[in-house]
Amino acid sequence: MGLESEQSRLLLSKIATSDRHGENSPYFDGWKAYDRDPFHPTNNPQGVIQMGLAENQLSLDLIEDWIRKNPKASICTAEGVNEFKNVAIFQDYHGFPEFRKAIAKFMSKVRGGRVTFDPERIVMGGGATGANELVTFCLADPGDAFLVPSPCYPAFGRDLGWRTGVQVLPFQCDSSNGFQVTKKALEAAYNKARENNINVKGLIITNPSNPLGTTLDRDTLVELVSFINEKNIHLVCDEIYAATVFNSPNFVSVSEIIQDMEYVNRDLIHVVYSLSKDMGLPGFRVGIVYSYNDLVVQCARKMSSFGLVSSQTQHLLASMLSDEEFVENFLKESSKRLAKRYNTFTKGLEQVGITCLKSNAGLFFWMDLRRLLKEQTIEGEMELWRVIINEVKLNVSPGSSFHCSEFGWFRVCFANMDDETVKVALDRIRVFVCRGKEEDEQQQPASTVNTKRWKTNLRLSFSSRRHDHQEGVMSPHMMSPHSPMPHSPLVRART
Amino acid sequence: MAIEIEQPCVGLSKVAVSETHGEDSPYFAGWKAYDENPYDETTNPSGVIQMGLAENQVSFDLLEKYLEEHSEASSWGKGSVSGFRENALFQDYHGLLSFRKAMASFMEQVRGGRAKFDPNRVVLTAGATAANELLTFILADPGDALLVPTPYYPGFDRDLRWRTGVKIVPIHCDSSNNFQITTPALEAAYSEAESMNIKVRGVLITNPSNPLGATVQRSVLEDILDFVTRKNIHLVSDEIYSGSVFSSSEFISVAEILEARQYKNSERVHIVYSLSKDLGLPGFRVGTIYSYNDKVVTTARRMSSFTLISSQTQHLLASMLSDKCFTENYIKINRERLRKRYDMIIEGLRSAGIDCLKGNAGLFCWMNLSPFLEKPTREGELALWNSMVHEVKLNISPGSSCHCSEPGWFRVCFANMSEQTLEVALKRIHNFMVKKRSE
């Protein structure tokens, strides 16, 4: 029909037709499986449990409680509607001063008061997604590169590179030292890029780490800061999980480090923050760019016009985050609940012989299933992953989606479900692992070097596909907005 | 081998150090004058009156009344536990279905039901600023151009060009035919781009027009549609002032024309809308892209991840805009009040001996001061503007900041102040003109 051929002739931009949006990857299979068959304790107890979404649902009741007790903070209530007009017309890209002050204070509290933040440096972004893209637009040109230690957040490729044209270059960290970033690895990556004529503009780190759930120690941070200072490249620290630290060691922010490093050029240091993880408010789109570079603050502020925080939301949060008592209690309680949830899971897994990377932060743990792989390759990992989704019915995220060079690691989110669901998830894992052990014992005498943990007679209800990035475009009708389950995530940020 | 080039400054991007953000233009200098000395009825009656800000403040009482009467629906409800939770967690880039439905229905109402909108084609962005930039990223590559009729909204220089690297090639319009867009002007702009080896990817119009304050006529829309079809390029119709047309029947949306053509060739058309002007809610950052092109919808939706609307705000507006009784009443009363303001300012200017372009929409009028320029040049215009800002103490926007090819035109906003303040402004203009005539 004429329409189709006309559509193909009517070109869109290169950015539009590229696939740097990242949605063509095979990792969407897990999401699809969840969307098609989402777990519900009563309506669908056999459904897939969502453990691929790094959300913090454990402490929303505290926030709700505050909102109920503070009707004035909302412009929709009788008590607060008198502020409606002032709030509704406020589109100044500086943001409400009260909002900036409250955010600066909150950021400081999250760091135990060990550092203070200047409200004049607070710039808004459309969530951390918007903030990361915004700061990249300020720091790098198309073709420039940012280094990032892997395993890393899968959407960095999109956030830092899709519309900016900047390259995102992951460099490997592995389990030999608990996946810690080392100056050696960073330097090697930097040199390699330079040898290939790539203009490295900066380094981006996530601290606490997604997907590892670990925090960087002071010495490593100092090394990283010294390195970027020496090479005169930028350092972007994505600290969006700062308040999810639930165990020692304490969180050390780059902001603290530079206080004791007088010689460092502060124009190279930029922090990205958000309330999506620490407070569990991803819907509110509160992203923050905090730069120590005046020019970047000025430029970023102008650019923030493309992704300001709704004044209604600024108004509510300005009030909430200035309530010092509430904030202190929230941070303490949230930490406690995360610790409890983490312990429940890791202990439960230990009982069936599954270990995780020792971590102290985040909304997930980094699970080690290397010994369950048929082969230590990406195909092996993907095969195991498909079994976990389709047989065990858990949507977890395979390490390869985080650019992890070692196969067999999986990120498992634990803060986006209630206690009942936790039990079900643990039970399923136990059953799966034990079934593997049983069949092992039945079929193989003694131990052999290549003991396989599950047998080929386990039906793969999912036809195994090759690891193929060219798989079908995600057209709108596949992401049905009409999912029967109210919590079905559709296509959210894959984090 | 890499050649090391010493960075003279601190090594920011080219985009960061460019001036395409546009804030050094005189459009903003007037703002500074206002910021330094803002008018206040009681505390600063001789301050600068802000007439450079296209805001709609005439109908807030209607919104406030709605909220007072419906606080349950618009907030998260009293005892409801799941309402807040679900909303706070909702970051799906499709947006709340209830909100998309409400937006589609509101857009239909604004067009008097003369066009239908499918909620599944509504893509949400944080303001029209983001929507226009996002569409540009999708429709054009760096170095390509969009054709934009002059005079146009000064912010387009930033929104369409800054981070995208896309150029604007002007479609020249002038007062000989009330600044309407003509096919020869379209062709001339296209040829101009061609001669500079620049690839034209689309035409972007604002309808009703900012700064003209007038709707685009049906025949002109038809011509534009035919033109973009002939050239096989896109058409973006920025219709953010559609609800500010004084008389509903006078606004013709490109959506109506497409419906009349049974949507033939519609995949090249994209509409931008927002609640910042029609509802007077610029702080809430509510923009939408409505595209007839499936691929654009999908891609725009993905890109909107960088600029989603706060779920809290989506929730509030979903409830407000799906109340058809409320919206119908609002649209009607808002139109009437804007018309009243418009009549007031036109009459006031006329009695001061000043003519304006005949307008029928928007939050501003397009005032003709060309007879009063010392020199019929841009410098003459800026000199007069300087007097307006610093002597008459009115911040109005000079036509040159809108890339108007004829000097002497000024955009004057009338909906962002009380009636009393508008009277004060008119009095000042009157006195200024009397003084000028006696000189």
Side-chain angles (χ1 to χ4, degrees), chain A residues 6 13-14 23 57 64 76 88 90 93 137-138 141 197 234 283 302 306 310-313 474 476 490 492, chain B residues 2 11 13-14 23 71 81 84-85 88-90 92-93 137-138 141 265 283 298 302 307 310-313:
Chain A
E6 273 172 70
S13 68
K14 296 192 181 80
E23 290 188 19
Q57 295 188 20
E64 255 180 274
C76 301
F90 190 83
Y93 60 29
F137 265 121
C138 291
D141 293 316
N197 272 329
H234 293 281
K302 293 180 172 104
F306 299 111
S310 166
S311 56
Q312 176 193 17
T313 303
M474 302 309 261
L490 305 173
R492 284 197 260 216
Chain B
S13 66
K14 295 191 180 83
E23 288 192 17
S71 81
V81 169
F84 166 74
R85 230 182 132 83
L89 292 172
F90 187 85
D92 178 358
Y93 63 31
F137 268 120
I138 290 178
D141 292 310
N265 280 309
T298 307
R302 287 181 178 143
T307 183
S310 169
S311 55
Q312 178 193 21
T313 302

Side-chain angles (χ1 to χ4, degrees), chain B residues 318-333:
Chain B
S319 101
M320 197 188 275
L321 296 184
S322 41
D323 184 335
K324 294 230 168 109
C325 216
F326 165 75
T327 51
E328 260 190 58
N329 186 51
Y330 179 92
I331 291 170
K332 187 164 127 280
I333 296 187

